[in-house]
Amino acid sequence: MNPTLEVYGDLEALSRAAAAYVERATGTARAAGRGATTIVLSGGSTPRRLFGLFAGEYRERLPWKTIHLFWSDERFVPYDDPESNYGAARALFVDAVGIPPQNVHPVETDLATPAEAADAYESAIASTADPSTRILFDVALLGLGGDGHTASLFPGHEMKTGRLAAAVRGPAWRPPRERVTLTYEALNRTREVYFLVAGEEKREALAAVLAGATGGEALPAARVRGVERTVFLADRAAAPDGARV
Ligand code: 6PG
C-alpha cells in the first residue's frame, strides 16, 4: 500500500496526530483480542514532543500496562549517555507512565559488542512476537533524516538479509557511528508505520521519498512500508511544495 502524506501546521499538531494514531492502534489491538500493543520508537529530536504528550495528556489515555516498547535503532552508548535513544525516552516518559519494566525492550548496549547486542535484540523481538502471524510490531514511529535515512538505515549501506536487527556503522556526519538497527525486514513487519517529519531541512528528502524511487536506489525511508498503512506526518516546513495545509 502506497504511503500517504498528512501535513500539519507545526510539530505540536503533528505530534498530537501521532499520539492519536497510537491511541487508536491500542484500541484496535484490544478490539482484536490482542493482549498487547507493540510500539517501535525512533530516536533523534523530532519525537521528543510526542514523548512529552505520552508523559502528560496521554499518561492516562494509553493502556501502558499492555504496551511493549522497542526502538528502531540505538546508538551503542551507555543508557545515561546524552546520545542514547532509550535514555532520552526513559527520561521523557518511560519512567513516568507505569509501563511494566519487562515490557520495555531497549537494545542492550552494555553487552560487549554491537553484534552481540543485535543478536540479543533479535531474541527480545522473538520473545514478544505472536508465532501465529508474521507481524512483529503494531506501530512504528519513525524519523526521517535529511539524507533519507530512517532508523539507522543509511543510503548506500546495504543491509544483511534474513536478520531482524543488525549492527551497523553509521556515517561520520551522524555520530555515534556504532549502532544497532532494526532491518527493513523487521520494520516491514509492522502493521502501521508513521514517519514524524518536521523542519525545512527534511523537505527535500521527504519529497524524494514520496516520489517513491523504486528498487535499489530508493532512499531507506522509501523502502519501509507498514503492512496496513504508512503515513508521513509532516509539518508545513517539511511538506513538499503543493502539499501545504
Ligand atoms: C537516530 C534515529 C534516526 C532519526 C533521524 C531523524 O537514532 O538517529 O532513530 O533515524 O529518527 O535521524 O532525527 P531527528 O528527529 O533528530 O531529525
Side-chain angles (χ1 to χ4, degrees), residues 41-48 72-75 83 85 141-147 149-154 173-175 179 196 198 201-202:
L41 303 174
S42 72
S45 57
T46 305
R48 296 176 72 89
S72 62
D73 60 321
E74 184 56 277
R75 298 83 178 273
E83 290 290 344
N85 290 337
L141 300 161
L142 301 180
L144 177 68
D147 62 338
H149 83 261
T150 191
S152 286
L153 301 166
F154 291 92
W173 64 269
R174 185 76 152 129
R179 294 158 172 255
L196 281 65
E201 70 280 7
K202 306 293 179 74

Side-chain angles (χ1 to χ4, degrees), residues 84-197:
S84 169
N85 290 337
Y86 167 58
R90 183 174 58 178
L92 288 167
F93 82 95
V94 175
D95 284 352
V97 295
I99 189 170
Q102 66 271 25
N103 291 6
V104 181
H105 311 278
V107 173
E108 295 172 70
T109 58
D110 53 353
L111 293 176
T113 66
E116 278 184 55
D119 290 345
Y121 202 44
E122 288 198 330
S123 304
I125 294 165
S127 71
T128 62
D130 172 355
S132 71
T133 170
R134 64 184 302 275
I135 299 281
L136 295 172
F137 310 113
D138 291 293
V139 178
L141 300 161
L142 301 180
L144 177 68
D147 62 338
H149 83 261
T150 191
S152 286
L153 301 166
F154 291 92
H157 292 226
E158 262 326 295
M159 188 51 53
K160 297 187 194 75
T161 57
R163 287 195 63 94
L164 297 178
V168 297
R169 187 164 164 74
W173 64 269
R174 185 76 152 129
R177 301 193 69 176
E178 298 306 325
R179 294 158 172 255
V180 173
T181 186
L182 291 180
T183 60
Y184 294 106
E185 280 157 84
L187 289 173
N188 290 341
R189 292 172 62 180
T190 302
R191 289 183 202 284
E192 302 179 38
V193 172
Y194 299 95
F195 287 89
L196 281 65
V197 187

Side-chain angles (χ1 to χ4, degrees), residues 220-235:
R223 296 168 60 182
V224 174
R225 280 283 189 287
V227 173
E228 294 176 5
R229 58 194 333 239
T230 308
V231 185
F232 285 82
L233 307 176
D235 71 355

